[in-house]
Amino acid sequence: LARVDAVMATHDLNMTTTRQYWKRNHRSGYGFAAVVAKHGWEHQPFLRDVTKRVVIRGGGGMFGVALGAVLTVLGWFWIGIPLTLLSVAAILNPRLLRTAKLMRELNLTKREAQIYGWHCSLSILPQFFGGCRYVFGALVGMPLRNSRVKAIEAEVCGELGLAEFRD
């Protein structure tokens, strides 16, 4: 496989709700974690970088916002408010600080770069939760299963007279 640095196709994801967007990014985070767990980072530099970004900006950013809010409520304003603001800035970094870079590197218009910046900023939150869900599932032996696959398995097992499908 070779990467060609040119637009080759466009794709309409047909996402019309926030739930669809959240679910797609949650699945992406789950998938990133699953591939890294199976193959390691050494041979997956793209996934290594994505996973680090999701953990640091997504997990660290949310932790910083929560900690900053708690400190502010407890009266430690001089620590809580700056920590909250820095954490929000870390999460929103692509949208706030990288629009020009996105325009230049991806040959986007300003509007496209702004939209893509929002996507890059906001997608890390469900991706972080998706990665956490993978880790949880791996620890307790409950991986995510596609509901359509479950329905097909149940139908096939019913036709074969089996109680349930086992991996």
Side-chain angles (χ1 to χ4, degrees), residues 33 46 53 59 66 68 97 120 125 139 141:
F46 168 75
R53 184 187 74 236
L97 304 174
C120 292
L125 301 175
L139 291 174

Side-chain angles (χ1 to χ4, degrees), residues 138-152:
L139 291 174
V140 299
M142 294 175 52
L144 286 180
R145 302 274 308 263
N146 187 318
S147 58
R148 183 166 186 261
V149 171
K150 285 188 222 176
I152 292 169

Side-chain angles (χ1 to χ4, degrees), residues 20-166:
Q20 290 171 322
Y21 183 78
W22 181 276
K23 198 169 190 179
R24 178 182 172 87
N25 283 293
H26 186 271
R27 288 178 179 154
S28 293
Y30 187 95
F32 296 153
V35 170
V36 168
K38 184 172 184 175
H39 300 290
W41 335 73
E42 347 21 273
H43 304 295
Q44 303 291 332
F46 168 75
L47 290 177
R48 177 189 59 228
D49 296 343
V50 167
T51 305
K52 283 181 180 178
R53 184 187 74 236
V54 167
V55 170
I56 293 168
R57 283 189 32 237
M62 285 187 299
F63 178 77
V65 168
L67 181 60
V70 168
L71 291 172
T72 300
V73 167
L74 293 175
W76 295 44
F77 303 104
W78 62 95
I79 298 174
I81 292 173
L83 178 60
T84 301
L85 293 175
L86 285 172
S87 299
V88 168
I91 292 170
L92 297 179
N93 180 20
R95 174 58 186 95
L96 296 174
L97 304 174
R98 305 265 170 121
T99 302
K101 182 180 178 187
L102 293 172
M103 289 172 60
R104 187 176 56 255
E105 290 183 0
L106 301 176
N107 195 28
L108 300 173
T109 66
K110 184 175 184 177
R111 177 78 177 133
E112 291 168 336
Q114 290 171 336
I115 291 169
Y116 187 63
W118 277 116
H119 162 71
C120 292
S121 295
L122 300 177
S123 66
I124 61 165
L125 301 175
Q127 288 172 356
F128 175 74
F129 287 115
C132 290
R133 175 58 179 93
Y134 173 80
V135 172
F136 171 78
L139 291 174
V140 299
M142 294 175 52
L144 286 180
R145 302 274 308 263
N146 187 318
S147 58
R148 183 166 186 261
V149 171
K150 285 188 222 176
I152 292 169
E153 290 171 354
E155 183 180 330
V156 170
C157 290
E159 291 173 2
L160 297 175
L162 301 172
E164 65 181 73
F165 177 80
R166 299 207 183 268

